[in-house]
Amino acid sequence: MNIDIVGGGSLGLLLAGKAACVPGVRVRLIARTRAQAERVARDGVSVLEPDGAERRSRLSCEAFDAAVSESADADWLWFATKQTHWNDALLAYAAGAAKAGARLLLFQNGVGHVERLAAAGAPPERVFVAVTTEGAKKTAADAVAHTGEGTTAIGSAAAAGSEAAAASLMGQALPARDVLRAAGFEADVVPDIERFVRRKLLTNGVINPLTAILRVTNGELAASPHYRSVMRALFDEAYAALTNAAEATDPEAEWRQVLRVCERTAGNHSSMLQDVLGGRETEIDAITGAVLRSAASKGLAAPTHAAMYAMVRGLSSATADADSHSRDS
């Protein structure tokens, strides 16, 4: 099986480094910069596991600009890019690959990218969504630390018209699941991926903005009773905004799941914190913004999320202003 993994950030490096060790799988990493592509092509990807074991995998790597200049010949394209990276060029590349017969697996946080891909012309039956709680931290252009073991759910983005169609779509996702399992991840194909998307959005909406503002790890966040009280306020607002009456679950069980994610990824810096520290645009609009839009559609107030949204946007603006002043001085 040929797999192109698009995105050389924390998750992309983790997926590429581990999948490249699976027999019979050819992995190509598509990085955003030429410098990273040259380094990975020369040295491979080093993965530091939670138990301290380190392994370097050899794989091919190209810069995105070079990759999009030729037609994709992969069986699967796994997208480990941020929501903020889904520009017109990436949408056109992904949609073109899907039209040509490749299957897409999307690992993005938040919501909105599936709809944008559909609008760009990607056939829905070739688009699959992955919801993962794996923790990863990029330590160099060619190195990543696996900071927390989680689970990955895979499901189709297409609406199945019958049980047979649903079974067919689930069957098409099995090769991706099998590669993830062979690479050492806990993964499964599920018929109700939207439920997992909402749960991940709920978890991200609680953890990501708060860790970005406080600049703490996931474990430090859950360990403090003071931080946890704010987490609970964020959880209650997001649960009300994202849960439909017909799909309501035990909120206390969902709350415990959020805390378990913090415990399993205790040493992890959330992707939003990494973006703030790196001076990059965050996914605040795709995560907290999505919670706020859902709350507004139900006539609900979400003041704690509104505060998080404003503060993270403020942090991003302050970082951008500081970078600008630094370049001008």
Side-chain angles (χ1 to χ4, degrees):
M1 183 192 301
N2 294 334
I3 301 174
D4 283 353
I5 297 177
V6 184
S10 301
L11 183 59
L13 286 172
L14 181 66
L15 292 170
K18 290 174 75 69
C21 297
V22 178
V25 175
R26 181 205 62 81
V27 173
R28 179 177 67 158
L29 181 66
I30 299 178
R32 195 158 54 92
T33 67
R34 184 173 289 106
Q36 184 184 22
E38 291 173 352
R39 182 164 173 178
V40 171
R42 183 186 69 235
D43 300 331
V45 172
S46 173
V47 177
L48 177 64
E49 295 290 359
D51 63 2
E54 186 172 3
R55 179 164 58 180
R56 184 170 290 275
S57 305
R58 300 292 176 177
L59 62 151
S60 63
C61 187
E62 286 192 55
F64 179 73
D65 289 346
V68 298
S69 65
E70 52 194 47
S71 58
D73 62 354
D75 302 302
W76 282 86
L77 277 76
W78 294 3
F79 288 85
T81 55
K82 298 287 182 64
Q83 283 276 359
T84 51
H85 294 158
W86 280 104
N87 55 24
D88 290 344
L90 185 58
L91 287 166
Y93 176 68
K99 290 175 184 177
R103 291 182 173 85
L104 314 182
L105 186 59
L106 315 179
F107 283 86
Q108 282 67 42
N109 288 328
V111 296
H113 53 295
V114 173
E115 292 77 11
R116 293 181 67 195
L117 262 174
E125 66 275 10
R126 294 200 167 270
V127 179
F128 297 82
V129 175
V131 177
T132 187
T133 57
E134 297 291 340
K137 182 179 180 182
K138 182 178 178 180
T139 56
D142 61 342
V144 62
H146 191 184
T147 54
E149 296 178 333
T151 60
T152 301
I154 302 171
S156 173
S162 66
E163 289 186 9
S168 174
L169 289 170
M170 290 182 66
Q172 292 177 45
L174 291 177
R177 181 207 65 180
D178 292 345
V179 171
L180 287 169
R181 286 183 175 180
F185 298 109
E186 184 180 335
D188 211 345
V189 177
V190 299
D192 53 347
I193 192 65
E194 281 302 318
R195 180 170 64 87
F196 288 82
V197 170
R198 284 192 293 272
R199 175 181 284 181
K200 181 68 181 294
L201 182 57
L202 173 63
T203 301
N204 286 152
V206 173
I207 296 173
N208 286 27
L210 202 50
T211 54
I213 292 164
L214 296 171
R215 304 196 176 195
V216 297
T217 64
N218 294 356
E220 290 169 332
L221 184 67
S224 165
H226 306 291
Y227 297 162
R228 194 182 289 211
S229 66
V230 184
M231 289 177 66
R232 184 64 202 226
L234 289 167
F235 171 84
D236 289 340
E237 291 176 8
Y239 183 86
L242 299 173
T243 305
N244 298 319
E247 300 168 340
T249 56
D250 177 10
E252 295 308 314
E254 296 287 349
W255 168 242
R256 289 192 295 271
Q257 172 63 21
V258 172
L259 296 179
R260 277 195 294 271
V261 170
C262 286
E263 292 165 4
R264 294 180 71 170
T265 61
N268 195 48
H269 290 86
S270 73
S271 59
M272 195 171 292
L273 172 56
Q274 293 182 50
D275 286 339
V276 167
L277 294 176
R280 298 182 293 271
E281 185 180 359
T282 72
E283 296 176 298
I284 191 68
D285 192 61
I287 297 174
T288 303
V291 174
L292 290 170
R293 289 188 290 274
S294 183
S297 71
K298 294 182 175 183
L300 300 173
T304 318
H305 281 274
M308 296 294 112
Y309 184 87
M311 284 189 279
V312 173
R313 290 295 296 268
L315 284 173
S316 300
S317 298
T319 301
D321 290 344
D323 289 344
S324 177
H325 291 320
S326 176
R327 289 192 298 269
D328 293 341
S329 60

